[in-house]
């Protein structure tokens, strides 16, 4: 952790002054190259993340989880209910995380990375699932921690939807799924010790799995809307879990696998080729940002006393030299 020492008289709005002029800067060389945790998760934030994850799992998996006897399985309003509920829950979670650990430097970093992610997503123009933003979300979550990763993933997808006009009932599901992708990267093992080729390979493997999992989870959001005209792959309310699950697997193979696999390939290639450079740049930026570095101010009165003692010693030496010259 970086400790900055300065003079209280420099003012709270300015960097702390140091003796001899200039301003005190954090000693970045002494800071260990650890996961930054730009957003520190407290008990409230962790509780909010656990709750949104549980509710999100229910929102995605209700077609498979609802029993035949439940009214939910036969309800046509369930997808719309979850689509209306998730944005409110996401807003509450993001606000809770921001209230407990999001400072100005983290907000600036979040804005830059979210804008970069939103700009990367349309580069594939929807062609065969080519979405370059996935590798950036994975690397950012790895370097900046799970809390920052969740907020970044959700915000990047929101900004991307506004940028591309992709606003619809699917958007909150995309925000939640991307938040999980980036948060999962922050929870991978060895954030403080695993570096180099091994880390890059691990992130590439995670990116491949996360890319396919993202597409599979998002299929659950659109699957219940399929009508009975395609009964071989459509959701049948009230049918046994095994039968609906078999239809869902067939639906994924028939509709989305051609997008999920190219997305995974693009993520792996980008991580292996650009990953080391991007990781190094992100870690250098977080070291310079010095998130949550405590600033300790010296007492202005104590420093004034030290200045007085120094002046007194200098005057004493000058008087001694003068007396020596006069005696000579």
């Amino acid at each position: 952790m970086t400790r900055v020492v300065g003079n209280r008289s420099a003012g709270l709005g300015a960097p702390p002054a140091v003796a001899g002029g200039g301003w005190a800067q954090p000693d970045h060389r002494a800071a260990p190259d650890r996961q930054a945790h730009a957003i520190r998760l407290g008990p409230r934030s962790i509780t909010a993340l656990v709750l949104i994850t549980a509710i999100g799992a229910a929102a995605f998996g209700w077609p498979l989880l609802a029993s035949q006897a439940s009214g939910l399985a036969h309800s046509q309003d369930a997808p719309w209910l979850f689509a209306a509920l998730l944005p409110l829950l996401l807003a509450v979670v993001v606000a809770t995380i921001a209230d407990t650990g999001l400072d100005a430097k983290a907000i600036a970093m979040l804005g830059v990375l979210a804008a970069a992610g939103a700009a990367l997503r349309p580069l594939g123009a929807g062609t065969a699932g080519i979405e370059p933003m996935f590798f950036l979300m994975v690397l950012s979550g790895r370097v900046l921690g799970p809390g920052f990763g969740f907020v970044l993933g959700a915000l990047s997808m929101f900004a991307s939807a506004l940028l591309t006009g992709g606003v619809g009932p699917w958007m909150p599901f995309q925000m939640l799924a991307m938040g999980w992708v980036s948060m999962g990267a922050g929870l991978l093992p060895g954030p403080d010790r695993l570096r180099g080729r091994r880390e890059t390979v691990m992130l590439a493997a995670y990116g491949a799995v996360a890319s396919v999992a993202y597409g599979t989870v998002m299929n659950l959001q659109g699957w219940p809307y399929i009508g009975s005209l395609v009964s071989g792959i459509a959701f049948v309310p009230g049918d046994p879990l095994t039968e609906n699950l078999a239809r869902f697997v067939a639906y994924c193979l028939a509709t989305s696998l051609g997008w999920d696999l190219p997305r995974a390939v693009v993520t792996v290639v980008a991580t292996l080729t650009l990953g080391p450079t991007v990781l190094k740049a992100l870690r250098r930026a977080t070291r310079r940002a010095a998130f949550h570095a405590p600033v300790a101010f010296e007492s202005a009165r104590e420093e004034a006393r030290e200045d007085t003692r120094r002046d007194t010693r200098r005057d004493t030496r000058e008087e001694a030299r003068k007396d020596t010259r006069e005696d000579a």
Side-chain angles (χ1 to χ4, degrees):
M1 184 163 296
T2 307
R3 190 171 186 266
V4 181
V5 179
N7 187 349
R8 192 184 302 274
S9 62
L12 296 179
V18 294
W23 304 107
Q25 300 293 337
D27 185 6
H28 303 295
R29 295 171 300 177
D33 192 15
R34 297 176 178 174
Q35 193 178 48
H37 289 286
I39 298 178
R40 294 192 178 277
L41 296 178
R44 286 193 303 164
S45 301
I46 294 175
T47 302
L49 281 174
V50 171
L51 288 177
I52 191 64
T53 298
I55 295 173
F60 278 110
W62 71 267
L64 299 176
L65 299 175
S67 65
Q68 186 174 0
S70 69
L72 183 63
H74 300 273
S75 174
Q76 298 298 319
D77 299 328
W80 300 101
L81 174 64
F82 284 119
L85 182 62
L86 279 181
L88 301 177
L89 295 174
L90 282 168
V92 171
V93 172
V94 172
T96 302
I97 293 174
D99 182 59
T100 55
L102 192 61
D103 59 13
K105 292 178 288 187
I107 291 174
M109 182 77 73
L110 181 64
V112 171
L113 291 175
L120 282 174
R121 191 183 180 207
L123 292 182
T127 304
I130 297 175
E131 296 182 63
M133 73 177 296
F134 271 74
F135 96 97
L136 180 62
M137 296 298 103
V138 170
L139 299 185
S140 300
R142 171 66 173 180
V143 173
L144 293 158
F148 187 94
F150 181 84
V151 178
L152 174 63
L155 184 60
S156 298
M157 194 57 72
F158 177 74
S160 174
L162 296 180
L163 183 65
T164 59
V167 178
W170 55 84
M171 186 184 70
F173 292 90
Q174 290 178 328
M175 293 171 60
L176 182 59
M178 185 58 74
W180 285 341
V181 168
S182 193
M183 180 177 68
L187 295 173
L188 290 174
D192 299 333
R193 63 181 184 277
L194 188 61
R195 293 293 182 269
R197 187 68 178 175
R198 289 190 302 165
E199 181 184 36
T200 306
V201 171
M202 180 187 70
L203 293 176
Y206 171 80
V209 173
S211 298
V212 176
Y214 173 87
T216 303
V217 167
M218 284 305 302
N219 285 339
L220 279 171
Q221 182 271 327
W223 181 47
Y225 294 105
I226 295 210
S228 58
L229 294 178
V230 281
S231 58
I233 60 175
F235 166 63
V236 179
D239 265 18
L241 172 63
T242 54
E243 295 182 13
N244 267 329
L245 186 59
R247 293 190 187 98
F248 177 68
V249 172
Y251 171 77
C252 292
L253 294 175
T255 59
S256 70
L257 194 61
W259 273 260
D260 297 340
L261 291 181
R263 183 191 301 119
V265 171
V266 169
T267 303
V268 169
V269 172
T271 302
L272 293 177
T273 55
L274 303 176
T277 302
V278 175
L279 286 171
K280 187 181 298 183
L282 287 172
R283 286 184 170 124
R284 182 167 60 247
T286 54
R287 283 196 302 270
R288 291 182 178 276
F291 296 111
H292 302 285
V295 178
F297 293 100
E298 290 181 348
S299 171
R301 180 177 300 177
E302 183 63 30
E303 186 167 325
R305 289 175 179 171
E306 180 61 30
D307 291 341
T308 301
R309 288 192 290 267
R310 188 163 48 249
D311 293 341
T312 301
R313 288 194 296 269
R314 185 178 62 249
D315 293 341
T316 301
R317 288 195 296 269
E318 290 294 333
E319 290 292 337
R321 293 194 193 99
K322 186 183 296 184
D323 293 342
T324 302
R325 288 194 296 270
E326 290 177 355
D327 292 340

